[in-house]
Each structure stands twice: as C-alpha cells, then as structure tokens.
Amino acid sequence: RNQEEPEACKILSDAGWLEMDRHFCLQHLREMVVLYKARGESAMSAAIVNHFNCKNCTLLVEMSDRWMSVPYLRQRENIIRDAVEAHKQRKFTLSIPALLPLVDGLSAEVLENQSMKAVALLANDRRAKDPEIWVRGFCDFVAHVYYKGYRFGKDTAPSLSRHGILHGRMFDYPSVLNSTRVFVFLDVIADIWLEKQRAAT
C-alpha cells in the first residue's frame, strides 16, 4: 500500500479527483491506475464519472444527503437539491456554478475566517498540519488548478478554474466530468468540517 497509494493519489488528484481514498478501496485505486496507464486520464475519469452517476446518480444523492449534517450546508439545502436535480438532468451550466460558491463558503466556515481566498487558506493550513499524501494531492489541486492565476482572454484556463467559472470568463466548463468533480470537491470540504467538529468534542 505504501508503494501503490502515492502513485494512485498523484494520478487521481492531478485529474481533479480529490481524496478518493474515502470512496475507493485499495483494489479500486489499483484499477484506476491500471486504466490510466492503459488508456489514459480521460478513460480513467470516464470510469469514475460512471461510478458516481450510475443508477440515477445514487452515490451523489447519498453524498448530498450526508451534507445536511453540516449546518452551513443544511441552511443551503434548496441550492444543493436544485444542483443535484440539475446534474441529474444534465444541466451542468446550473449544477457547477450553484455548488462552487459553497466550496468557498464552507471553507470560510471551517477556518472561521471570511477571506475571499478561503479555499487557498484552508489548503495551506492543511498542508502545514497534515503530511498525508491525499491531503497533499488536495492542496496541489487547489494551488495549481482551482486557484491558479491566468490572464483572462490570453491564457488557457485550467479545467476547473474558480476564477474563470465564477467570474464569467469561461464558457466551456459544463460537463458531467466537471460537475461530478465539484460534488467530490465539496464533499472533501464537508468532511474537513466534520473532522474538525469531531476533534473539538
């Protein structure tokens, strides 16, 4: 496991699949690495998308139901339920921009800090406190994809750029891939919030 998991973590995190050790056992992680090496990142991501979206998105619905134990998310239940329905109807122009602000807002709740760059601050805080490989993968994604700076209209935007999407500079972000990744991303932040509450009790 010590040899295989770092490789799986890097491959999955680089593709925007964050802290997937929470969703996949070691055998599933191995299968994703094999698929990546045989057929590339797009085939691996397609398999993960299918995993989360099969049976009318059962796993994503269960995931969003668990979020209701987080007060910040429970207060935004209507937004979340609408995003889930939009995703199920393949209206990714609605699901992605509905959920992305909650990534920022919940990160600010975790930190008890209302900074406009709460996700970046949360990632830096986690990097300093936890050397675990999946945490590093999360932090690298936040720094090099989600918050990566680029010149609007001149540089190519990262695939899931917060700035490009929420500031209306990207038009090609809607996809089942990106929408599913946003669900997984928000789920990571929800788990960090819950972990903090457990540690406080």
Side-chain angles (χ1 to χ4, degrees):
R1 187 177 194 112
N2 289 339
Q3 292 175 342
E4 294 177 87
E5 200 165 355
E7 180 183 29
C9 173
K10 177 161 179 47
I11 288 170
L12 288 160
S13 298
D14 286 352
W17 299 110
L18 305 176
E19 301 199 14
M20 291 296 288
D21 60 323
R22 296 169 52 246
H23 302 285
F24 286 171
C25 66
L26 183 58
Q27 182 56 38
H28 287 138
L29 294 176
R30 282 181 184 142
E31 290 169 3
M32 292 303 104
V33 170
V34 169
L35 185 55
Y36 174 86
K37 289 180 177 179
R39 298 174 50 201
E41 182 182 305
S42 61
M44 177 192 72
S45 288
I48 296 171
V49 165
N50 184 62
H51 170 78
F52 282 111
N53 289 276
C54 67
K55 298 180 182 175
N56 200 29
C57 306
T58 298
L59 291 179
L60 294 184
V61 171
E62 291 173 355
M63 181 186 293
S64 65
D65 287 343
R66 288 194 303 271
W67 296 345
M68 295 305 111
S69 63
V70 178
Y72 172 89
L73 296 177
R74 188 168 58 250
Q75 291 167 350
R76 291 153 179 82
E77 182 175 1
N78 289 344
I79 297 169
I80 291 167
R81 299 300 179 208
D82 286 350
V84 170
E85 287 307 309
H87 180 91
K88 289 165 77 172
Q89 295 172 30
R90 303 186 65 81
K91 295 179 179 178
F92 308 122
T93 54
L94 303 179
S95 59
I96 295 169
L99 292 180
L100 270 186
L102 303 186
V103 170
D104 286 68
L106 184 54
S107 295
E109 288 284 311
V110 171
L111 293 171
E112 300 177 23
N113 177 332
Q114 295 307 311
S115 167
M116 297 299 288
K117 288 209 167 188
V119 185
L121 292 175
L122 179 61
N124 290 339
D125 182 67
R126 294 198 83 210
R127 191 188 297 274
K129 292 179 179 175
D130 191 343
E132 202 264 336
I133 56 168
W134 291 98
V135 171
R136 288 200 311 267
F138 167 81
C139 297
D140 289 344
F141 175 82
V142 169
H144 303 304
V145 178
Y146 188 67
Y147 267 121
K148 181 181 179 182
Y150 73 99
R151 294 172 297 174
F152 290 153
K154 294 184 178 180
D155 297 334
T156 301
S159 56
L160 197 62
S161 166
R162 178 217 184 270
H163 305 313
I165 294 170
L166 295 184
H167 292 295
R169 304 305 179 102
M170 288 175 67
F171 61 88
D172 57 352
Y173 65 86
S175 67
V176 65
L177 170 63
N178 272 344
S179 189
T180 306
R181 291 196 303 172
V182 173
F183 274 90
V184 172
F185 194 3
L186 183 54
D187 192 57
V188 170
I189 308 299
D191 191 62
I192 293 170
W193 188 93
L194 291 167
E195 183 181 285
K196 181 180 178 183
Q197 300 310 303
R198 289 191 292 267
T201 57

